Amino acid sequence: MSQQYQPQPPGPPPAQKAPAGREGLTAEEAAGARSAERAGLSGPDAGRGGEPGGDPVRQALLDVRREVAKAVVGQDAAVTGLIIALLARGHVLLEGVPGVAKTLLVRSLSAALSLDTKRVQFTPDLMPGDVTGSLIYDGRTSEFSFREGPVFTNILLADEINRTPPKTQASLLEAMEERQVSVDGVSRPLPDPFIVAATSNPVEYEGTYSLPEAQLDRFLLKLTMDLPGRDDEIEIIRRHSGGFDPRNLGAAGVRPVASAADLESARRAVAGVEVSPEVLGYIVDLVRATRNAPSFQLGVSPRGATALLNTSRAWAWLSGRSFVTPDDVQALTLPALRHRVSLRPEAQMDGVVVDGVLGSILATVPVPR
């Protein structure tokens, strides 16, 4: 029997004042923001808490942040999230208004990691074969040959993925889940590593097609890219006034500091990060709490629990630890779960937001000690 909706209580006390730079948020939104920031994921030094100079592979991946910062200002949390997705073999949904450097971020990350990237502008007339590839008839040989689509790359930038019809959106499902493309009964493996970095505009809905829950659930993380603060925006303008060209990353000084081999070594190390039974239970309790939250009509599935586990391990390793702590889980709860739940219509009418409800859950689920 479904629970009757009741307005969600405010987040963890005290909730008198939102964090700096988050004025105007509701108490629940501020609670969610505080929960994510508590472990430092969105802080300026996120991911630098490990032993200095210890693991060269870890240091190489942390250096990627410095290289990307030469082109992209004030989006450290999004960079860290993309690195975590690569470590956990998952895909990322980037949400932000136009002009916050979503495309530049992906291009800069690819350059710093020596990975191939391709961009597809999703439009209403885009066909599945335009993404996956198709059979082309060769008149000279009288045979059909397969021409690879842009999905055959390391990082596929699916720009404005919600602007294309569901049929074309669904063409990515096999690639995202199986890391292969099947055409005419033949399965063709995709390169390794492979992730989809899809962008979405949260303020424009005309001419868009909402992603179905089944496809949203296949994204490991949903990262929000906010407008920059005043100091960051001054730095952006200063760079452009000095001749910065976002189309020329080499001139900006972005250079490769890690490789696919480093990434593979890091993945093996992440697989060895230990998770105690208490932390496993904490992850399950958080996920189960979303299914009982009165504001949610759809809670997180077991796939979401494994996503939270895998991303927490990657974050722990980046932080220089060989074990997962509850802080790691808390840091990844919002990006790993926010797109896997849906609000009840009456909760939306009351102004409830997903991040706020998740923040309240983080505040009420007992933390293992």
Side-chain angles (χ1 to χ4, degrees), residues 345-368:
E346 53 268 37
Q348 292 177 333
M349 293 177 62
D350 283 345
V352 175
V353 293
V354 167
D355 281 12
V357 180
L358 291 176
S360 297
I361 288 173
L362 282 170
T364 55
V365 173
V367 181

Side-chain angles (χ1 to χ4, degrees), residues 75-290:
Q75 299 292 352
D76 285 350
V79 178
T80 302
L82 281 166
I83 294 174
I84 288 173
L86 283 164
L87 290 173
R89 293 180 169 87
H91 311 286
V92 175
L93 185 61
L94 294 169
E95 186 176 88
V97 299
V100 292
K102 297 185 292 292
T103 302
L104 181 60
L105 171 61
V106 173
R107 290 179 53 239
S108 303
L109 181 74
S110 301
L113 283 167
S114 301
L115 298 178
D116 181 43
T117 183
K118 293 177 182 175
R119 176 180 178 272
V120 178
Q121 180 65 51
F122 279 66
T123 57
D125 60 349
L126 191 73
M127 299 298 292
D130 297 331
V131 179
T132 60
S134 55
L135 295 175
I136 304 298
Y137 182 74
D138 189 341
R140 294 172 299 179
T141 62
S142 299
E143 294 180 351
F144 286 93
S145 61
F146 179 71
R147 179 177 294 175
E148 293 183 350
V151 74
F152 287 85
T153 186
N154 297 128
I155 302 180
L156 176 67
L157 176 59
D159 215 352
E160 295 188 291
I161 190 173
N162 57 334
R163 285 204 173 277
T164 200
K167 180 179 181 180
T168 305
Q169 292 176 5
S171 67
L172 281 175
L173 288 176
E174 183 186 14
M176 294 172 68
E177 189 69 20
E178 307 294 336
R179 262 66 176 182
Q180 67 179 23
V181 168
S182 297
V183 177
D184 196 32
V186 178
S187 297
R188 296 170 172 85
L190 296 173
D192 186 35
F194 168 75
I195 70 166
V196 174
T199 70
S200 175
N201 183 344
V203 297
E204 191 175 359
Y205 299 103
E206 186 176 352
T208 63
Y209 303 83
S210 298
L211 291 175
E213 281 77 9
Q215 186 155 10
L216 281 173
D217 203 41
R218 282 172 169 78
F219 284 99
L220 184 73
L221 298 173
K222 179 181 177 181
L223 305 174
T224 56
M225 295 181 64
D226 298 325
L227 290 168
R230 184 176 186 274
D231 291 342
D232 287 337
E233 197 158 8
I234 289 175
E235 175 61 18
I236 293 171
I237 300 302
R238 186 194 65 77
R239 292 186 183 188
H240 279 267
S241 69
F244 171 71
D245 183 359
R247 291 170 290 275
N248 189 349
L249 295 178
V254 179
R255 61 184 179 86
V257 293
S259 64
D262 292 325
L263 194 58
E264 184 57 35
S265 297
R267 286 172 168 178
R268 290 194 295 268
V270 168
V273 172
E274 297 181 2
V275 188
S276 68
E278 292 77 15
V279 172
L280 285 176
Y282 182 50
I283 292 173
V284 171
D285 289 342
L286 288 172
V287 167
R288 292 177 67 86
T290 67

